[in-house]
Amino acid sequence: MLGALPALAFPEPGLWWWAFLALVPWLLLIRGAPDPRRAGYDGWCGGFGFMLAMHHWLLPSLHVFLPVIAALLGLLWLPWARLVRVMLRGTPSPRRAAAALFVVPSGWLLVELVRSWQGLGGPWGLLGASQWQVPAELRLAAVGGVWLVSFLVVAVNTAVALLVAVPRLRPVAVAGLAGCALVAGLGWWAGAPPREAGTVRVAVVQPGVIGSPGQRFDRGEELTRSLAGQRLDLVVWGESSVGVDLVSRPDFAARLTALSRAVDAPLLVNVDARRSDRQGIFKSAILVSEDGPTRERYDKMRLVPFGEYVPARAVLGWATSVGKAAGEDRRRGTAPVVMTLPGTAGPGPAGLRIGPLICFETAFPDMSRRLARDGADVVVAQSSTSTFQDSWAPAQHASLGALRAAETGRPVVHATLSGVSAAYGPDGRRIGPVLGTGSSAAAVYELPLARGGTPYERLGDWAVYGAVAVTVLVVAAGLPWGGALRRFRRDLDAHEPPGTAPDAGTAPDARPDARPGRGQGPGRGEGPGRGEGPDSSER
């Protein structure tokens, strides 16, 4: 289960530096695999371990489903592992080793891209997200998103693996590490946050773990009233903070309206209820002013599998009897929304625009980027992880706000029902107090606004597209892809210095005298239709 080691780099352990070493044992294991089939198996086992470790806190909710899902997602690392073996096995030539510093991270990014699809669970646990508290890595995220940070982390691990396993390639490995440091330095320069343009005062109301929706509302009301006179621009409640539809329950709407007047600021609440004007249950961010609920409303678009809907319910509906899966599917919204506040009482500019996200959606880099491009001045996340209160989930979820802030150059407010609540400036650094899982309190954050955007906001997922291009180039020599990679490797090894002895684990086709058309003894030739010993399974 070497694949589980990177989980220690994420909150709550939070050993961010460990991410730069955590993949090395896994890489070395794959490098030493006797054949491609075993390499793929090692990749699958590592991917299974990584997914299980990153999502272990879901076990009380998913029960038997969690190992099954982790095993299925682990299959994504099978082709990556075969790619790793081809690039690192034996004694690579300097050119192949240098190429590995690009190819191995590109393959990893491809895995992260595929598993980021919401239908496969979404991008929770992207390796770059472990660097949420490192200023240099946040600058890098401003240039290429969390994807570029993941690429750099895997590249460092690859260089360290070469440094440990192949002594004669130490100059290449050291050069690779120096190149990674140079990229981080360029990111520090290119990812400088936008210029500040005023401030905004936002309050977060966190009622804590409270049994019934009615008691939760009462506590949120009490905490909000305590904020009166603090010259606020906005008050944010967490996900599912209101358990009734405000149209069908005008008494709750009136109470929220009175609260807005009491604090002289609009409220952004979150309604988790069956709507009176549409069929089904929605999770919705609703803006309430001193004149009542406004027409500004955002319905959650990306729902949590099993938690908010059951995929293929006709087949998997029995999951509700063994876990805490959703008894009824929530309905999806259709488009992101940027809301304009009706007015501001604090020092922020009039007509402040906010972009709401709900819970799971903060894991998706494209959603906050879309809000920033649509004109949001502040990204506001409403969340609830009370089901996983005593796990790593609340801290991991809150840390995502730092990445989204750095990527977009917009401050991010992460408001929860029961912790962890926090706020981040446009550069991704945390600002003000943190409301932990034991808090029932309100906090006020004075956040700097920024003018302009970041390279990532303007250019988008270019790091991912580059990784896809690198991977496609590697496999494009022919089909099946294993044969293409062997030809690519032989081309690189054609520049192997004469007289260099390969490692004991080097395959026949990696030897300096292995050239197309040259025999290697009975059964070992490389003519048309001839096998290649242990690698014949790759054809």
Side-chain angles (χ1 to χ4, degrees), residues 266-267 286-297 339-340 342:
L267 276 60
I286 297 178
L287 193 62
V288 179
S289 73
E290 60 183 16
D291 297 321
T294 69
R295 299 181 65 180
E296 303 275 24
R297 179 185 189 121
M339 304 176 177
T340 302

Side-chain angles (χ1 to χ4, degrees), residues 168-262:
R168 77 175 188 84
L169 289 178
R170 283 174 182 169
V172 177
V174 171
L177 293 173
C180 291
L182 178 61
V183 169
L186 291 174
W188 182 269
W189 169 73
R195 292 177 300 161
E196 291 189 10
T199 58
V200 60
R201 288 174 62 83
V202 179
V204 167
V205 172
Q206 180 179 299
V209 180
I210 296 177
S212 70
Q215 292 174 322
R216 183 189 308 146
F217 188 98
D218 292 342
R219 179 57 177 161
E221 188 177 35
E222 178 186 358
L223 291 171
T224 303
R225 288 193 181 278
S226 70
L227 297 169
Q230 299 202 38
R231 301 177 67 244
L232 301 172
D233 296 302
L234 178 67
V235 178
V236 184
W237 287 20
E239 180 188 17
S240 304
S241 49
V242 180
V244 297
D245 178 65
L246 296 181
V247 174
S248 59
R249 292 295 303 270
D251 53 330
F252 278 82
R255 291 170 67 179
L256 292 172
T257 301
L259 280 179
S260 177
R261 291 173 183 164

Side-chain angles (χ1 to χ4, degrees), residues 57-84:
W57 41 271
L58 286 171
L59 192 60
S61 297
L62 295 184
H63 289 274
V64 68
F65 281 98
L66 182 58
V68 174
I69 293 172
L72 292 175
L73 290 175
L75 292 172
L76 295 174
W77 276 270
L78 191 153
W80 174 77
R82 296 187 64 165
L83 184 68
V84 169

Side-chain angles (χ1 to χ4, degrees), residues 10 16 41 76 150 162 203-204 243 252 269 280 296 298 300 311 322 360 389 411 417 433 487 500-501 522:
F10 294 82
W16 63 267
Y41 175 77
L76 295 174
S150 287
L162 286 170
V204 167
F252 278 82
V269 299
E296 303 275 24
Y298 167 67
K300 186 176 184 181
V322 297
F360 180 57
Q389 193 73 358
L417 285 182
R487 288 191 291 274
T500 301

